[in-house]
Amino acid sequence: MRMTPPLPRLYSFRRCPYAMRARMALLVSGVSFSLTEVSLKAKPPAMLAASPKGTVPVLIFPGGQVLDESLDIMRWALGQNDPENWLVDDREGSETHALIARNDGPFKHHLDRYKYATRYSDDGDAMSAAAHRAAAMEILVDLDTRLAGRLNLVAERPTLADIALFPFVRQFARHDPDWWASQPFAHLQQWLERHLSSPLFQIAIRKDASVDAP
């Protein structure tokens, strides 16, 4: 009887934006993987042994190799197969790299302190939640301006930049949906809605996300 070879195992939490973008890259690539949905209150010992920092996503290969950064997982998956050409602009000094660096750095900093103000109240930050929201808004206004001339951030079709950023914009928008809907950046709001309604995202957000590309 022929044995099925073991698959890479992804430890994930479906609402985490980092894990979300990793799942989407794995799904679009068509790479087979096993999915373990993690309870953040009771993280699996196997995950913690592989990645002691205890954050998702973590991709563990049968041979013991570990990828525990979402962008590394995305680039590995797309390096196996990139059917929608997401990596078209993924090079040093590119728009993609600049957009992701700003998202994962300043934008995420302000997003966390806007959304979880009480959690960061003792970290010596003098800025209020409203001030952090305003600082994040400056970045979002720039994204809206960028989207005025095209459907996605660096091309007409989605690329790595769009998939890497939109889960964080989603998180920002969901914190106060009525306020978000009243803001004057229609291009960014439409961009977000297109990605949220995509078949790929609809699969990726499920707890039992399929290992098969849609």
Side-chain angles (χ1 to χ4, degrees), residues 94-214:
S94 66
E95 288 183 281
T96 292
H97 279 216
L99 287 165
I100 293 174
R102 185 177 62 174
N103 178 81
D104 291 12
F107 183 74
K108 183 64 163 62
H109 174 88
H110 294 304
L111 169 62
D112 285 346
R113 286 153 184 80
Y114 162 51
K115 186 174 181 181
Y116 307 111
T118 55
R119 182 185 301 177
Y120 292 94
S121 60
D122 297 328
D123 71 354
D125 188 346
M127 291 176 65
S128 65
H132 280 294
R133 182 175 74 177
M137 279 286 291
E138 292 180 11
I139 296 172
L140 296 178
V141 167
D142 178 70
L143 294 180
D144 184 68
T145 300
R146 172 181 291 271
L147 289 164
R150 52 192 166 195
L151 291 177
N152 288 286
L153 292 173
V154 299
E156 286 301 307
R157 293 177 58 81
T159 67
L160 183 71
D162 301 284
I163 307 306
L165 268 65
F166 98 82
F168 297 88
V169 179
R170 170 186 181 270
Q171 195 174 63
F172 183 94
R174 285 168 62 88
H175 186 57
D176 188 342
D178 292 338
W179 177 86
W180 167 260
S182 71
Q183 297 309 298
F185 30 64
H187 305 295
L188 185 63
Q189 290 163 343
Q190 292 165 8
W191 169 85
L192 178 61
E193 288 305 313
R194 283 196 301 273
H195 285 285
L196 292 177
S197 62
S198 72
L200 178 62
F201 177 75
Q202 294 303 312
I203 293 172
I205 197 63
R206 297 195 323 234
K207 285 186 177 181
D208 60 341
S210 170
V211 299
D212 298 321

Side-chain angles (χ1 to χ4, degrees), residues 31-95:
V31 172
S32 294
F33 65 99
S34 298
L35 177 67
T36 296
E37 178 74 7
V38 171
S39 167
L40 299 184
K41 295 180 180 179
K43 297 170 184 175
M47 184 191 104
L48 293 174
S51 180
K53 67 179 184 176
T55 59
V56 293
V58 178
L59 185 65
I60 304 176
F61 295 87
Q65 178 190 2
V66 176
L67 294 178
D68 61 2
E69 296 290 344
S70 60
L71 291 173
D72 291 341
I73 294 171
M74 294 180 80
R75 289 177 171 126
W76 174 81
L78 297 168
Q80 311 307 303
N81 185 37
D82 184 14
E84 297 188 7
N85 204 21
W86 284 6
L87 295 179
V88 63
D89 186 53
D90 186 39
R91 61 187 182 278
E92 202 65 38
S94 66
E95 288 183 281

